[in-house]
Amino acid sequence: MDEQRNSFLKQVRSQIKSKEAKALVSAELHHHLNEVKHYWLQKGISEDQAEEKAVNQMGNPISIGQKLNRIHRPKVDWVTLILFVSALLLGFLPLLSQGYMQSNHFSTYKVAFIIVGGMVALGMMFIDYRKLANKGWLFYLLGLLFLIFLTRNFNTVIEGQSILKIGPLNIESLIAIPFFLLAWAGFFQSNRFKMWKFLLLFVLSLYFFLECSLTTLFIYVTMTFTMILWSKLKKKTIWIVLGSIFSLVGTWGVIGWMTVAYYQKYRILSFINPYNSEYLTSKFGLLKIHHLFMNAGWFGKHSFVDQFIPQAHTNFVFLSFTYYYGWLFAAILFLVLSLVAVRIISIARSLNDTYSKLLLVGVMMIYMVQLVGNVGMIVGFFPMTNISLPFISYGVMPILLNAFLIGIVLSIYRRKNLLSANTLHSND
């Protein structure tokens, strides 16, 4: 009678296009057939008769296969894709306004960066992210080894960041973030992951991030602390540990403040409140930034002839975008970038799987720290830092990072209709 069951399952699978759905459907139908077979065995009939009745009771395999194909068909998140492409195209405007598109160097590299970023996002979309769930240790080791390699082999320091420069390519610690995103999501989904392991692994990774870049360190800490709040660890334990960490940091800060020299205190205060520092009146200080931003008007100045904006296509890209195109286009740009975050939240709210939610929470925080941090420092809410505006700032590393994040979102959305076996069982 196994032949009858196998023939039935083969006909059902022949109607399903998704390879991932075929395996899930086979497991579900096996489970349902066994339940029906067990029911008939309890009625006192033979095993062969019970098997035959179970298969016949299922109905037409072709119709079943067609119905399940519609249910489990992988879907493309066109909303996220449209926002992604729109953001990438908007990234050309700062280069166009500054005349960089006339340079083969900038235009060629920008196009290359976008092509590679698009390939990364689409490539991640077709990868089944669920297969990465149990590889937390692998991703943690890869991320840690990358940081160790970078700290031992960097040959350039740009604005406090350790960078390995290979020709036109700048390799920085930002590229390690995806490894730790996947690692922590894998760890935090399990009830068996202990808090002492988290502390040990977190402190170890923290040390190497600290050696590479303070900006990347902030992104990493924010991502990790947010993810742990969504983890399966006991909330009471989480708050006790996080509270202890913040208390130790605060105590260390107070003791350090009492012992550091005046010039060191001045630098710290200047970072916290740049408006009270000498940076305020420097050649391109905060007053200058504020002046350019406020005088842009609704439609911009359309000229950089008498204005010099350093890093106008990287860290200060939002300022240059606003100055040239005006507040209206800046608002549209910010809206498009913000809609990406709204879309991520929307997808996360529709999921029940812990691992998927942890990934989206991490993606959300990495993205929002960049967006809010870059725009916030231009409008005067935050200190000046070396942080890129997602998809808009020039550079391969920021585009690769954010393309990877979009790829994770696309991968999760593509498989959100592949219901788990436990969900289907509960509906039987």
Side-chain angles (χ1 to χ4, degrees), residues 55-93:
V55 173
N56 292 333
Q57 190 171 321
M58 294 296 293
N60 188 319
I62 302 300
S63 299
I64 294 174
Q66 292 173 347
K67 181 179 179 180
L68 291 174
N69 179 59
R70 290 193 296 271
I71 295 174
H72 296 295
R73 182 186 296 125
K75 296 183 178 181
V76 177
D77 185 4
W78 291 108
V79 175
T80 300
L81 268 179
I82 290 172
L83 291 172
F84 175 54
V85 173
S86 300
L88 289 177
L89 293 178
L90 285 171
F92 280 106
L93 292 181

Side-chain angles (χ1 to χ4, degrees), residues 289 293 315 317-319 322 330 333-335 337-338 368-385 387-390:
I289 293 173
F293 188 83
N315 294 336
V317 69
F318 188 71
L319 175 63
T322 305
L333 172 63
F334 186 74
L335 176 63
L337 297 180
S338 298
M368 286 303 296
V369 169
Q370 296 176 85
L371 175 58
V372 175
N374 186 277
V375 175
M377 73 178 185
I378 298 301
V379 299
F381 290 157
F382 302 118
M384 292 297 158
T385 56
I387 193 166
S388 300
L389 187 63

Side-chain angles (χ1 to χ4, degrees), residues 4 39 60 87 91 137 162 176 226 301 314 327 334 362 377 379 399:
Q4 185 177 359
Y39 168 80
N60 188 319
W137 286 104
S162 300
T226 307
K301 297 299 183 181
T314 53
W327 299 335
F334 186 74
M377 73 178 185
V379 299
I399 286 184

Side-chain angles (χ1 to χ4, degrees), residues 7 22-23 72 106 142 175 178 192 270 322 324 338 342 346 356 382 399 406:
S7 175
K22 286 182 179 181
H72 296 295
F106 281 102
L142 288 174
I175 208 66
R192 294 174 293 178
S270 298
T322 305
Y324 191 86
S338 298
V342 172
S346 175
S356 303
F382 302 118
I399 286 184
I406 292 297

